[in-house]
Amino acid sequence: MSNVQNEATVIDAVIIDNARLRWQDVVAVARHGARLELSAQAWARIDNAQAIVQRIVQSGERAYGINTGLGGLSNVSLQHEQLSALSRNTLLSHACGVGPALSNEQTRAIICAAVIQYSQGKSGLHRQVVEALLALLNHQITPQVPSQGSVGYLTHMAHIGVGLLGVGDVSYRGQIVPAQQALAAEGLSPVQLGAKDGLCLVNGTPCMTGLSCLALADAAQVLQWADVTGAMSFEALRGQIDAFDPEILALKPHAGMQQVGRHLRRLLADSEVIASSKGVRTQDALSLRSIPQVHGAARDQFNHSVVQIETELNSVNDNPMVLGTPDAYRVVSQANPHGQSVALAADGLAIAMAEIGSIAERRLDRLINPHVSDLPAFLVSQPGVNSGMMITQYVAASLCAQNRQLAQPAVLDNYVTSALQEDHLSLGTNAALKLLQVLENATQVLAIEYLLAAQAFEFHQPKHFGAGTQVAWRLLREHVAPYDQDRWLAPDIAKSAAILKDPRALQPLAAYLA
Protein backbone atom coordinates (compact mmCIF):
# COMPACT_ATOMS: atom_id res chain seq x y z
CA MET A 1 0.00 0.00 0.00
CA SER A 2 1.10 3.55 -0.69
CA ASN A 3 1.66 5.85 2.28
CA VAL A 4 0.15 9.32 2.30
CA GLN A 5 2.67 11.71 0.79
CA ASN A 6 2.47 15.28 -0.44
CA GLU A 7 3.83 16.42 -3.78
CA ALA A 8 6.26 19.04 -2.48
CA THR A 9 9.20 17.44 -4.31
CA VAL A 10 9.83 19.38 -7.51
CA ILE A 11 9.86 17.34 -10.74
CA ASP A 12 11.15 19.17 -13.83
CA ALA A 13 9.99 16.61 -16.39
CA VAL A 14 7.87 13.47 -16.52
CA ILE A 15 9.00 10.99 -19.18
CA ILE A 16 6.61 8.27 -20.30
CA ASP A 17 8.53 5.09 -21.06
CA ASN A 18 7.93 1.57 -19.75
CA ALA A 19 7.70 2.42 -16.05
CA ARG A 20 4.50 2.68 -14.07
CA LEU A 21 3.39 6.27 -13.57
CA ARG A 22 2.08 7.65 -10.28
CA TRP A 23 -0.53 10.20 -9.33
CA GLN A 24 2.34 12.51 -8.30
CA ASP A 25 3.54 12.54 -11.93
CA VAL A 26 0.19 13.86 -13.14
CA VAL A 27 0.19 16.49 -10.39
CA ALA A 28 3.72 17.56 -11.32
CA VAL A 29 2.61 18.23 -14.90
CA ALA A 30 -0.85 19.64 -14.15
CA ARG A 31 -0.19 21.72 -11.06
CA HIS A 32 3.53 22.48 -11.12
CA GLY A 33 4.25 22.83 -14.84
CA ALA A 34 6.63 19.91 -15.33
CA ARG A 35 7.24 19.03 -18.98
CA LEU A 36 5.65 15.85 -20.28
CA GLU A 37 7.75 13.82 -22.73
CA LEU A 38 7.55 10.42 -24.40
CA SER A 39 10.43 7.99 -24.79
CA ALA A 40 11.32 6.41 -28.11
CA GLN A 41 9.63 3.18 -26.98
CA ALA A 42 6.38 5.02 -26.27
CA TRP A 43 6.42 6.71 -29.68
CA ALA A 44 7.06 3.36 -31.32
CA ARG A 45 3.99 1.89 -29.64
CA ILE A 46 1.87 4.81 -30.89
CA ASP A 47 3.19 4.45 -34.44
CA ASN A 48 2.56 0.71 -34.46
CA ALA A 49 -1.07 1.16 -33.43
CA GLN A 50 -1.62 3.83 -36.06
CA ALA A 51 -0.13 1.54 -38.71
CA ILE A 52 -2.74 -1.07 -37.77
CA VAL A 53 -5.49 1.50 -38.23
CA GLN A 54 -4.14 2.38 -41.67
CA ARG A 55 -4.05 -1.30 -42.64
CA ILE A 56 -7.71 -1.64 -41.62
CA VAL A 57 -8.69 1.44 -43.61
CA GLN A 58 -6.92 0.13 -46.70
CA SER A 59 -8.45 -3.33 -46.39
CA GLY A 60 -12.02 -2.08 -45.93
CA GLU A 61 -12.53 -4.45 -42.97
CA ARG A 62 -15.35 -3.14 -40.82
CA ALA A 63 -14.13 -1.98 -37.38
CA TYR A 64 -16.07 0.12 -34.88
CA GLY A 65 -14.98 3.75 -34.75
CA ILE A 66 -12.36 3.31 -37.44
CA ASN A 67 -14.68 3.10 -40.44
CA THR A 68 -18.13 3.09 -38.79
CA GLY A 69 -20.26 5.64 -37.01
CA LEU A 70 -20.20 5.89 -33.21
CA GLY A 71 -22.44 4.68 -30.40
CA GLY A 72 -25.94 4.08 -31.71
CA LEU A 73 -24.59 4.71 -35.25
CA SER A 74 -22.07 1.86 -35.10
CA ASN A 75 -23.75 0.02 -37.97
CA VAL A 76 -23.18 2.88 -40.45
CA SER A 77 -20.13 2.17 -42.68
CA LEU A 78 -17.84 5.01 -43.79
CA GLN A 79 -14.91 5.29 -46.16
CA HIS A 80 -12.23 7.56 -47.67
CA GLU A 81 -12.63 11.25 -46.85
CA GLN A 82 -15.55 10.46 -44.55
CA LEU A 83 -13.10 9.05 -42.00
CA SER A 84 -11.30 12.35 -41.46
CA ALA A 85 -14.64 14.17 -41.42
CA LEU A 86 -15.93 11.72 -38.81
CA SER A 87 -13.01 12.52 -36.50
CA ARG A 88 -13.51 16.27 -36.84
CA ASN A 89 -17.29 16.02 -36.51
CA THR A 90 -16.93 13.81 -33.46
CA LEU A 91 -15.04 16.52 -31.64
CA LEU A 92 -17.35 19.33 -32.72
CA SER A 93 -20.57 17.47 -31.91
CA HIS A 94 -19.32 16.09 -28.60
CA ALA A 95 -18.00 19.46 -27.39
CA CYS A 96 -21.33 20.44 -25.86
CA GLY A 97 -20.52 20.77 -22.16
CA VAL A 98 -22.07 23.44 -19.97
CA GLY A 99 -21.24 25.31 -16.79
CA PRO A 100 -18.17 27.18 -15.58
CA ALA A 101 -14.80 26.17 -17.01
CA LEU A 102 -12.49 23.77 -15.25
CA SER A 103 -9.38 25.31 -13.74
CA ASN A 104 -6.22 25.21 -15.81
CA GLU A 105 -4.68 22.53 -13.60
CA GLN A 106 -7.77 20.35 -13.91
CA THR A 107 -7.72 20.51 -17.71
CA ARG A 108 -3.97 19.89 -17.75
CA ALA A 109 -4.44 16.82 -15.55
CA ILE A 110 -6.95 15.42 -18.02
CA ILE A 111 -4.62 16.02 -20.98
CA CYS A 112 -1.74 14.39 -19.11
CA ALA A 113 -3.80 11.29 -18.28
CA ALA A 114 -4.95 11.09 -21.92
CA VAL A 115 -1.39 11.16 -23.25
CA ILE A 116 -0.43 8.43 -20.79
CA GLN A 117 -3.27 6.31 -22.15
CA TYR A 118 -2.29 6.84 -25.78
CA SER A 119 1.32 5.95 -24.97
CA GLN A 120 0.18 2.38 -24.26
CA GLY A 121 -0.03 1.93 -28.03
CA LYS A 122 -3.46 0.32 -28.19
CA SER A 123 -5.52 3.31 -29.35
CA GLY A 124 -4.43 3.95 -32.92
CA LEU A 125 -4.45 7.72 -33.22
CA HIS A 126 -1.89 9.58 -35.33
CA ARG A 127 1.42 10.66 -33.82
CA GLN A 128 0.73 14.31 -34.63
CA VAL A 129 -2.35 14.30 -32.38
CA VAL A 130 -0.27 13.23 -29.38
CA GLU A 131 2.40 15.77 -30.32
CA ALA A 132 -0.29 18.46 -30.38
CA LEU A 133 -1.53 17.48 -26.92
CA LEU A 134 2.01 17.64 -25.58
CA ALA A 135 2.36 21.07 -27.16
CA LEU A 136 -0.70 22.31 -25.29
CA LEU A 137 0.86 21.21 -22.01
CA ASN A 138 4.40 22.31 -22.67
CA HIS A 139 3.43 25.67 -24.19
CA GLN A 140 0.93 26.39 -21.40
CA ILE A 141 -2.05 26.58 -23.76
CA THR A 142 -5.10 25.33 -21.88
CA PRO A 143 -8.48 24.89 -23.58
CA GLN A 144 -11.49 26.28 -21.77
CA VAL A 145 -13.46 23.16 -20.81
CA PRO A 146 -16.97 23.42 -19.35
CA SER A 147 -17.09 21.48 -16.09
CA GLN A 148 -20.52 19.88 -16.50
CA GLY A 149 -21.96 17.38 -18.95
CA SER A 150 -19.90 14.20 -18.71
CA VAL A 151 -21.33 10.77 -17.86
CA GLY A 152 -17.75 9.61 -17.43
CA TYR A 153 -16.10 10.62 -20.71
CA LEU A 154 -16.74 12.40 -24.06
CA THR A 155 -17.52 16.07 -23.43
CA HIS A 156 -14.46 17.28 -21.53
CA MET A 157 -11.97 15.66 -23.90
CA ALA A 158 -14.00 16.89 -26.88
CA HIS A 159 -13.53 20.47 -25.70
CA ILE A 160 -9.81 19.81 -25.42
CA GLY A 161 -9.88 18.23 -28.88
CA VAL A 162 -11.50 21.20 -30.58
CA GLY A 163 -8.71 23.33 -29.16
CA LEU A 164 -6.32 21.24 -31.25
CA LEU A 165 -8.40 22.25 -34.28
CA GLY A 166 -8.04 25.93 -33.42
CA VAL A 167 -11.69 26.10 -32.30
CA GLY A 168 -12.91 27.69 -29.07
CA ASP A 169 -11.07 29.63 -26.40
CA VAL A 170 -7.97 28.82 -24.39
CA SER A 171 -6.15 30.19 -21.37
CA TYR A 172 -2.81 31.55 -22.54
CA ARG A 173 -0.36 33.87 -20.79
CA GLY A 174 -2.92 34.85 -18.19
CA GLN A 175 -5.67 35.70 -20.67
CA ILE A 176 -8.58 33.94 -22.37
CA VAL A 177 -7.96 34.12 -26.12
CA PRO A 178 -9.13 32.24 -29.25
CA ALA A 179 -7.35 28.91 -29.65
CA GLN A 180 -6.19 29.85 -33.15
CA GLN A 181 -4.47 32.96 -31.79
CA ALA A 182 -2.60 31.08 -29.05
CA LEU A 183 -1.47 28.33 -31.41
CA ALA A 184 -0.16 30.90 -33.90
CA ALA A 185 1.69 32.79 -31.15
CA GLU A 186 3.62 29.61 -30.34
CA GLY A 187 4.24 28.70 -33.98
CA LEU A 188 1.78 25.80 -33.87
CA SER A 189 -0.78 24.78 -36.48
CA PRO A 190 -4.23 23.21 -36.04
CA VAL A 191 -4.16 19.43 -36.27
CA GLN A 192 -5.41 17.56 -39.31
CA LEU A 193 -7.30 14.49 -38.10
CA GLY A 194 -7.48 11.06 -39.65
CA ALA A 195 -9.30 7.78 -39.05
CA LYS A 196 -10.08 7.04 -35.38
CA ASP A 197 -8.42 10.23 -34.10
CA GLY A 198 -11.67 11.83 -33.03
CA LEU A 199 -12.90 8.73 -31.23
CA CYS A 200 -9.57 8.28 -29.44
CA LEU A 201 -9.70 11.88 -28.24
CA VAL A 202 -13.12 11.56 -26.60
CA ASN A 203 -12.91 7.97 -25.40
CA GLY A 204 -11.62 6.35 -22.24
CA THR A 205 -11.22 7.52 -18.64
CA PRO A 206 -8.54 10.25 -18.67
CA CYS A 207 -11.00 12.87 -17.45
CA MET A 208 -11.99 11.14 -14.22
CA THR A 209 -8.48 9.73 -13.75
CA GLY A 210 -6.65 13.02 -14.21
CA LEU A 211 -9.04 14.85 -11.89
CA SER A 212 -8.74 12.06 -9.32
CA CYS A 213 -4.96 12.37 -9.33
CA LEU A 214 -5.34 16.00 -8.28
CA ALA A 215 -7.79 14.89 -5.61
CA LEU A 216 -5.25 12.42 -4.25
CA ALA A 217 -2.75 15.26 -3.85
CA ASP A 218 -5.30 17.33 -1.96
CA ALA A 219 -6.40 14.36 0.15
CA ALA A 220 -2.80 13.57 1.14
CA GLN A 221 -2.43 17.14 2.39
CA VAL A 222 -5.74 17.08 4.27
CA LEU A 223 -4.94 13.79 6.01
CA GLN A 224 -1.62 15.04 7.31
CA TRP A 225 -3.07 18.29 8.59
CA ALA A 226 -6.07 16.53 10.15
CA ASP A 227 -3.70 14.70 12.48
CA VAL A 228 -2.00 17.99 13.38
CA THR A 229 -5.16 20.00 14.05
CA GLY A 230 -6.76 17.01 15.79
CA ALA A 231 -3.75 16.73 18.11
CA MET A 232 -3.95 20.45 18.86
CA SER A 233 -7.64 20.24 19.74
CA PHE A 234 -7.01 17.14 21.86
CA GLU A 235 -4.31 19.00 23.78
CA ALA A 236 -6.30 22.21 24.15
CA LEU A 237 -9.21 20.20 25.56
CA ARG A 238 -6.89 18.32 27.96
CA GLY A 239 -7.41 14.91 26.43
CA GLN A 240 -6.55 11.64 28.13
CA ILE A 241 -3.51 10.31 26.29
CA ASP A 242 -4.05 6.66 27.34
CA ALA A 243 -6.52 6.36 24.45
CA PHE A 244 -3.52 6.54 22.10
CA ASP A 245 -1.43 3.96 23.93
CA PRO A 246 0.38 1.84 21.29
CA GLU A 247 -0.40 -1.40 23.11
CA ILE A 248 -4.11 -0.56 23.08
CA LEU A 249 -4.22 0.56 19.46
CA ALA A 250 -2.28 -2.54 18.37
CA LEU A 251 -5.23 -4.68 19.47
CA LYS A 252 -7.12 -3.25 16.48
CA PRO A 253 -4.41 -3.51 13.83
CA HIS A 254 -5.77 -1.44 10.94
CA ALA A 255 -2.73 0.07 9.22
CA GLY A 256 -4.08 3.62 9.02
CA MET A 257 -5.11 3.58 12.66
CA GLN A 258 -1.60 2.58 13.76
CA GLN A 259 -0.10 5.35 11.64
CA VAL A 260 -2.36 8.03 13.10
CA GLY A 261 -1.62 6.77 16.61
CA ARG A 262 2.11 7.22 15.96
CA HIS A 263 1.54 10.71 14.62
CA LEU A 264 -0.50 11.76 17.64
CA ARG A 265 2.02 10.42 20.13
CA ARG A 266 4.87 12.23 18.37
CA LEU A 267 2.94 15.48 18.02
CA LEU A 268 1.92 15.45 21.70
CA ALA A 269 5.21 14.22 23.15
CA ASP A 270 6.47 16.19 26.19
CA SER A 271 3.28 18.24 26.49
CA GLU A 272 2.94 19.76 29.94
CA VAL A 273 -0.74 20.35 29.23
CA ILE A 274 -1.33 16.63 28.61
CA ALA A 275 0.80 15.57 31.58
CA SER A 276 -1.00 17.90 33.98
CA SER A 277 -4.41 16.79 32.67
CA LYS A 278 -4.02 13.08 33.41
CA GLY A 279 -7.09 11.85 35.25
CA VAL A 280 -9.21 15.03 34.94
CA ARG A 281 -11.91 12.85 33.37
CA THR A 282 -12.53 9.14 32.94
CA GLN A 283 -12.77 9.33 29.16
CA ASP A 284 -13.01 11.97 26.46
CA ALA A 285 -15.75 12.51 23.92
CA LEU A 286 -15.47 10.26 20.90
CA SER A 287 -14.45 13.10 18.60
CA LEU A 288 -11.23 13.23 20.67
CA ARG A 289 -10.46 9.67 21.69
CA SER A 290 -11.43 8.14 18.34
CA ILE A 291 -9.07 10.26 16.21
CA PRO A 292 -6.90 7.21 15.36
CA GLN A 293 -9.92 5.12 14.43
CA VAL A 294 -11.59 7.77 12.24
CA HIS A 295 -8.54 9.38 10.67
CA GLY A 296 -6.98 5.94 10.24
CA ALA A 297 -9.98 4.58 8.34
CA ALA A 298 -9.77 7.57 5.99
CA ARG A 299 -6.08 6.82 5.38
CA ASP A 300 -6.89 3.22 4.55
CA GLN A 301 -9.52 4.40 2.06
CA PHE A 302 -6.97 6.81 0.59
CA ASN A 303 -4.51 3.96 0.05
CA HIS A 304 -7.19 1.86 -1.63
CA SER A 305 -8.07 4.78 -3.90
CA VAL A 306 -4.41 5.23 -4.87
CA VAL A 307 -4.27 1.63 -6.05
CA GLN A 308 -7.46 1.95 -8.10
CA ILE A 309 -6.63 5.31 -9.66
CA GLU A 310 -3.01 4.51 -10.48
CA THR A 311 -4.04 1.17 -11.98
CA GLU A 312 -6.45 3.05 -14.24
CA LEU A 313 -3.80 5.64 -15.08
CA ASN A 314 -1.53 2.89 -16.36
CA SER A 315 -4.28 0.98 -18.17
CA VAL A 316 -5.58 0.79 -21.70
CA ASN A 317 -9.07 2.27 -21.57
CA ASP A 318 -9.92 2.86 -25.22
CA ASN A 319 -12.57 1.24 -27.43
CA PRO A 320 -11.92 -0.40 -29.78
CA MET A 321 -8.38 -1.55 -28.99
CA VAL A 322 -5.94 -2.36 -31.72
CA LEU A 323 -3.55 -5.18 -30.81
CA GLY A 324 -0.60 -6.88 -32.49
CA THR A 325 1.18 -5.58 -35.59
CA PRO A 326 0.00 -4.40 -39.02
CA ASP A 327 0.69 -7.90 -40.35
CA ALA A 328 -1.04 -9.74 -37.50
CA TYR A 329 -3.58 -7.62 -35.68
CA ARG A 330 -6.80 -7.79 -33.72
CA VAL A 331 -9.42 -5.09 -33.32
CA VAL A 332 -11.47 -5.69 -30.19
CA SER A 333 -14.60 -3.87 -29.07
CA GLN A 334 -14.93 -4.05 -25.31
CA ALA A 335 -15.83 -1.89 -22.30
CA ASN A 336 -12.51 -0.64 -20.93
CA PRO A 337 -13.68 3.00 -21.22
CA HIS A 338 -16.13 2.21 -18.42
CA GLY A 339 -14.68 3.93 -15.36
CA GLN A 340 -16.36 2.01 -12.55
CA SER A 341 -13.12 1.45 -10.62
CA VAL A 342 -12.23 5.14 -10.55
CA ALA A 343 -15.82 6.18 -9.85
CA LEU A 344 -16.06 3.88 -6.84
CA ALA A 345 -12.63 5.00 -5.61
CA ALA A 346 -13.59 8.67 -5.87
CA ASP A 347 -16.95 8.10 -4.22
CA GLY A 348 -15.37 6.12 -1.39
CA LEU A 349 -12.69 8.74 -0.82
CA ALA A 350 -15.33 11.50 -0.81
CA ILE A 351 -17.12 9.73 2.03
CA ALA A 352 -13.87 9.32 3.94
CA MET A 353 -12.87 12.96 3.51
CA ALA A 354 -16.33 14.18 4.46
CA GLU A 355 -15.84 12.25 7.70
CA ILE A 356 -12.50 13.99 8.29
CA GLY A 357 -14.33 17.30 8.12
CA SER A 358 -17.23 16.02 10.22
CA ILE A 359 -15.13 14.88 13.17
CA ALA A 360 -13.07 18.08 13.01
CA GLU A 361 -16.26 20.13 13.24
CA ARG A 362 -17.25 18.23 16.40
CA ARG A 363 -13.83 18.93 17.93
CA LEU A 364 -13.84 22.62 17.10
CA ASP A 365 -17.37 22.94 18.48
CA ARG A 366 -16.07 21.68 21.82
CA LEU A 367 -13.28 24.26 21.75
CA ILE A 368 -15.69 27.20 21.75
CA ASN A 369 -18.24 25.69 24.17
CA PRO A 370 -17.39 26.71 27.77
CA HIS A 371 -19.60 23.91 29.15
CA VAL A 372 -17.09 21.30 27.98
CA SER A 373 -13.87 23.19 27.21
CA ASP A 374 -12.93 24.81 30.57
CA LEU A 375 -11.92 27.73 28.37
CA PRO A 376 -13.44 31.21 27.96
CA ALA A 377 -16.66 31.17 25.95
CA PHE A 378 -15.94 31.29 22.23
CA LEU A 379 -12.23 31.65 22.96
CA VAL A 380 -12.17 35.36 23.64
CA SER A 381 -11.11 37.08 26.87
CA GLN A 382 -14.19 39.28 27.26
CA PRO A 383 -17.18 37.27 25.96
CA GLY A 384 -20.36 39.31 25.70
CA VAL A 385 -18.99 42.50 24.28
CA ASN A 386 -17.01 40.19 22.00
CA SER A 387 -18.62 37.30 20.07
CA GLY A 388 -15.24 35.69 19.63
CA MET A 389 -14.99 32.57 17.47
CA MET A 390 -18.71 31.78 17.76
CA ILE A 391 -19.70 31.97 14.10
CA THR A 392 -16.71 30.09 12.74
CA GLN A 393 -18.42 26.94 13.99
CA TYR A 394 -21.51 27.86 11.98
CA VAL A 395 -19.32 28.06 8.88
CA ALA A 396 -17.81 24.66 9.62
CA ALA A 397 -21.27 23.17 10.17
CA SER A 398 -22.43 24.53 6.82
CA LEU A 399 -19.43 23.08 5.01
CA CYS A 400 -19.94 19.68 6.65
CA ALA A 401 -23.62 19.72 5.69
CA GLN A 402 -22.66 20.37 2.08
CA ASN A 403 -20.11 17.57 2.26
CA ARG A 404 -22.80 15.14 3.36
CA GLN A 405 -24.72 16.04 0.21
CA LEU A 406 -21.63 15.74 -1.98
CA ALA A 407 -20.68 12.40 -0.44
CA GLN A 408 -23.73 10.71 -1.92
CA PRO A 409 -22.30 8.23 -4.46
CA ALA A 410 -22.31 9.47 -8.05
CA VAL A 411 -21.77 5.96 -9.38
CA LEU A 412 -25.31 4.95 -8.38
CA ASP A 413 -26.93 7.67 -10.52
CA ASN A 414 -27.03 5.59 -13.66
CA TYR A 415 -28.58 6.72 -16.95
CA VAL A 416 -29.04 5.36 -20.47
CA THR A 417 -27.44 7.10 -23.47
CA SER A 418 -26.91 6.68 -27.21
CA ALA A 419 -30.18 4.94 -28.11
CA LEU A 420 -29.70 2.13 -25.55
CA GLN A 421 -26.16 1.39 -26.80
CA GLU A 422 -24.55 2.77 -23.64
CA ASP A 423 -26.97 1.65 -20.96
CA HIS A 424 -24.71 1.58 -17.90
CA LEU A 425 -22.45 4.50 -17.03
CA SER A 426 -19.98 5.18 -14.24
CA LEU A 427 -20.49 8.93 -13.76
CA GLY A 428 -16.86 8.88 -12.68
CA THR A 429 -16.13 12.44 -13.78
CA ASN A 430 -18.94 13.73 -11.57
CA ALA A 431 -17.51 11.60 -8.74
CA ALA A 432 -14.06 13.13 -9.19
CA LEU A 433 -15.35 16.70 -9.41
CA LYS A 434 -17.45 16.44 -6.29
CA LEU A 435 -14.54 14.77 -4.48
CA LEU A 436 -12.46 17.85 -5.23
CA GLN A 437 -15.19 20.04 -3.71
CA VAL A 438 -15.42 17.80 -0.63
CA LEU A 439 -11.68 18.21 -0.18
CA GLU A 440 -11.88 21.99 -0.50
CA ASN A 441 -14.62 22.06 2.13
CA ALA A 442 -12.71 19.74 4.45
CA THR A 443 -9.63 21.95 4.12
CA GLN A 444 -11.64 24.99 5.20
CA VAL A 445 -13.04 23.09 8.20
CA LEU A 446 -9.53 22.08 9.26
CA ALA A 447 -8.39 25.67 8.77
CA ILE A 448 -11.04 26.76 11.25
CA GLU A 449 -10.03 24.02 13.70
CA TYR A 450 -6.39 25.11 13.36
CA LEU A 451 -7.36 28.71 14.10
CA LEU A 452 -9.46 27.79 17.12
CA ALA A 453 -7.03 25.29 18.60
CA ALA A 454 -4.20 27.81 18.32
CA GLN A 455 -6.39 30.39 20.05
CA ALA A 456 -7.15 27.90 22.82
CA PHE A 457 -3.40 27.44 23.31
CA GLU A 458 -3.20 31.11 24.31
CA PHE A 459 -5.16 30.29 27.47
CA HIS A 460 -2.87 27.38 28.43
CA GLN A 461 0.32 29.41 28.56
CA PRO A 462 2.93 29.33 30.02
CA LYS A 463 2.74 25.53 29.90
CA HIS A 464 4.87 23.87 27.21
CA PHE A 465 2.90 22.23 24.43
CA GLY A 466 3.61 19.01 22.55
CA ALA A 467 6.77 18.72 20.50
CA GLY A 468 4.84 18.89 17.22
CA THR A 469 1.81 20.91 18.27
CA GLN A 470 4.12 23.66 19.51
CA VAL A 471 5.65 23.83 16.02
CA ALA A 472 2.20 24.00 14.40
CA TRP A 473 1.04 26.72 16.82
CA ARG A 474 4.08 28.88 16.16
CA LEU A 475 3.69 28.38 12.40
CA LEU A 476 0.17 29.81 12.48
CA ARG A 477 1.27 32.67 14.69
CA GLU A 478 3.70 33.75 11.96
CA HIS A 479 0.64 34.60 9.87
CA VAL A 480 -2.28 35.15 12.28
CA ALA A 481 -2.12 37.10 15.55
CA PRO A 482 -3.95 35.95 18.70
CA TYR A 483 -7.62 36.97 18.86
CA ASP A 484 -7.75 39.48 21.73
CA GLN A 485 -10.97 41.17 20.65
CA ASP A 486 -13.41 40.94 17.78
CA ARG A 487 -11.99 41.67 14.35
CA TRP A 488 -12.75 40.71 10.77
CA LEU A 489 -12.35 36.94 10.92
CA ALA A 490 -12.57 35.89 7.27
CA PRO A 491 -8.96 36.88 6.49
CA ASP A 492 -7.75 34.80 9.45
CA ILE A 493 -9.51 31.71 8.10
CA ALA A 494 -8.11 32.41 4.63
CA LYS A 495 -4.55 32.65 6.01
CA SER A 496 -5.00 29.44 7.95
CA ALA A 497 -6.33 27.65 4.85
CA ALA A 498 -3.41 28.94 2.77
CA ILE A 499 -1.00 27.27 5.18
CA LEU A 500 -2.88 23.98 4.91
CA LYS A 501 -2.78 24.10 1.10
CA ASP A 502 0.96 24.79 0.88
CA PRO A 503 2.90 21.49 0.75
CA ARG A 504 5.99 23.30 2.01
CA ALA A 505 4.25 24.20 5.27
CA LEU A 506 4.33 20.56 6.36
CA GLN A 507 8.13 20.37 6.19
CA PRO A 508 8.72 21.56 9.80
CA LEU A 509 6.24 18.88 10.90
CA ALA A 510 7.62 16.08 8.76
CA ALA A 511 9.39 14.31 11.61
CA TYR A 512 6.13 14.03 13.55
CA LEU A 513 4.14 12.74 10.56
CA ALA A 514 6.57 10.12 9.27
Side-chain angles (χ1 to χ4, degrees), residues 66 79-90 192-198:
I66 296 176
Q79 55 186 335
H80 306 307
E81 68 277 0
Q82 291 178 314
L83 303 182
S84 178
L86 170 63
S87 284
R88 181 179 178 86
N89 290 344
T90 297
Q192 298 298 314
L193 302 176
K196 203 175 185 287
D197 289 341

Side-chain angles (χ1 to χ4, degrees), residues 215-258:
L216 290 175
D218 294 345
Q221 192 83 351
V222 165
L223 286 168
Q224 297 288 69
W225 275 109
D227 290 354
V228 175
T229 62
M232 292 179 70
S233 292
F234 183 89
E235 187 171 15
L237 292 165
R238 301 193 299 163
Q240 302 303 293
I241 196 67
D242 284 351
F244 304 153
D245 187 300
E247 182 180 359
I248 301 302
L249 294 183
L251 296 173
K252 189 171 182 175
H254 296 289
M257 181 175 154
Q258 306 310 308

Side-chain angles (χ1 to χ4, degrees), residues 4-8 23 215-226 302 353 443 446 498-506:
V4 173
Q5 303 172 6
N6 64 48
E7 78 282 10
W23 62 263
L216 290 175
D218 294 345
Q221 192 83 351
V222 165
L223 286 168
Q224 297 288 69
W225 275 109
F302 173 89
M353 303 315 295
T443 299
L446 292 179
I499 295 171
L500 269 58
K501 292 180 180 182
D502 183 356
R504 296 167 299 179
L506 279 170

Side-chain angles (χ1 to χ4, degrees), residues 1 21 107 125 175 190 248 253 288 316 376 380 405 416 420 498:
M1 290 288 185
L21 290 157
T107 298
L125 75 175
Q175 295 183 311
I248 301 302
L288 299 174
V316 177
V380 69
Q405 299 156 17
V416 178
L420 298 180

Side-chain angles (χ1 to χ4, degrees), residues 12-330:
D12 293 327
V14 173
I15 301 174
I16 302 173
D17 49 25
N18 298 321
R20 182 180 175 87
L21 290 157
R22 309 165 303 153
W23 62 263
Q24 290 96 332
D25 296 317
V26 175
V27 173
V29 172
R31 183 170 285 174
H32 303 300
R35 287 184 61 82
L36 185 62
E37 302 173 4
L38 272 64
S39 68
Q41 300 99 309
W43 283 118
R45 292 193 294 267
I46 290 170
D47 290 340
N48 177 72
Q50 168 55 205
I52 295 173
V53 169
Q54 291 305 314
R55 177 64 62 90
I56 293 168
V57 170
Q58 292 165 8
S59 71
E61 174 189 349
R62 184 160 152 172
Y64 171 71
I66 296 176
N67 50 21
T68 75
L70 307 180
L73 300 173
S74 60
N75 292 321
V76 178
S77 295
L78 304 171
Q79 55 186 335
H80 306 307
E81 68 277 0
Q82 291 178 314
L83 303 182
S84 178
L86 170 63
S87 284
R88 181 179 178 86
N89 290 344
T90 297
L91 297 182
L92 294 171
S93 65
H94 288 44
C96 56
V98 299
L102 297 177
S103 67
N104 283 356
E105 71 171 33
Q106 289 172 342
T107 298
R108 287 173 57 83
I110 295 169
I111 297 172
C112 181
V115 172
I116 292 170
Q117 168 182 296
Y118 304 143
S119 72
Q120 299 286 336
K122 301 294 188 293
S123 296
L125 75 175
H126 286 79
R127 169 190 280 250
Q128 62 262 30
V129 178
V130 181
E131 290 172 338
L133 290 169
L134 289 172
L136 292 183
L137 291 173
N138 296 332
H139 289 268
Q140 302 288 328
I141 300 172
T142 309
Q144 292 291 281
V145 178
S147 57
Q148 295 173 282
S150 173
V151 296
Y153 45 26
L154 302 177
T155 54
H156 291 74
M157 278 301 299
H159 281 276
I160 292 168
V162 297
L164 300 180
L165 304 177
V167 175
D169 292 332
V170 298
S171 172
Y172 177 65
R173 296 184 178 178
Q175 295 183 311
I176 305 301
V177 301
Q180 183 78 25
Q181 177 182 329
L183 293 174
E186 294 292 328
L188 303 171
S189 300
V191 173
Q192 298 298 314
L193 302 176
K196 203 175 185 287
D197 289 341
L199 177 59
C200 291
L201 282 169
V202 301
N203 218 350
T205 60
C207 186
M208 66 182 78
T209 305
L211 294 171
S212 292
C213 287
L214 292 177
L216 290 175
D218 294 345
Q221 192 83 351
V222 165
L223 286 168
Q224 297 288 69
W225 275 109
D227 290 354
V228 175
T229 62
M232 292 179 70
S233 292
F234 183 89
E235 187 171 15
L237 292 165
R238 301 193 299 163
Q240 302 303 293
I241 196 67
D242 284 351
F244 304 153
D245 187 300
E247 182 180 359
I248 301 302
L249 294 183
L251 296 173
K252 189 171 182 175
H254 296 289
M257 181 175 154
Q258 306 310 308
Q259 186 176 8
V260 174
R262 289 192 298 272
H263 291 175
L264 294 171
R265 292 190 297 272
R266 291 168 182 166
L267 289 161
L268 295 168
D270 303 322
S271 167
E272 292 179 359
V273 177
I274 293 296
S276 66
S277 302
K278 190 174 179 65
V280 298
R281 67 184 68 88
T282 303
Q283 66 177 16
D284 297 307
L286 272 170
S287 60
L288 299 174
R289 59 187 158 98
S290 73
I291 293 173
Q293 289 79 6
V294 176
H295 290 196
R299 284 176 176 270
D300 290 339
Q301 182 61 47
F302 173 89
N303 287 333
H304 171 72
S305 297
V306 168
V307 171
Q308 298 299 98
I309 292 163
E310 288 191 343
T311 299
E312 191 77 25
L313 181 65
N314 291 278
S315 295
V316 177
N317 46 75
D318 211 336
N319 180 46
M321 292 182 198
V322 292
L323 309 174
T325 67
D327 295 324
Y329 61 83
R330 294 173 63 204

Side-chain angles (χ1 to χ4, degrees), residues 486-504:
D486 281 353
R487 65 173 184 250
W488 187 23
L489 257 176
D492 290 359
I493 297 173
K495 290 175 184 176
S496 179
I499 295 171
L500 269 58
K501 292 180 180 182
D502 183 356
R504 296 167 299 179

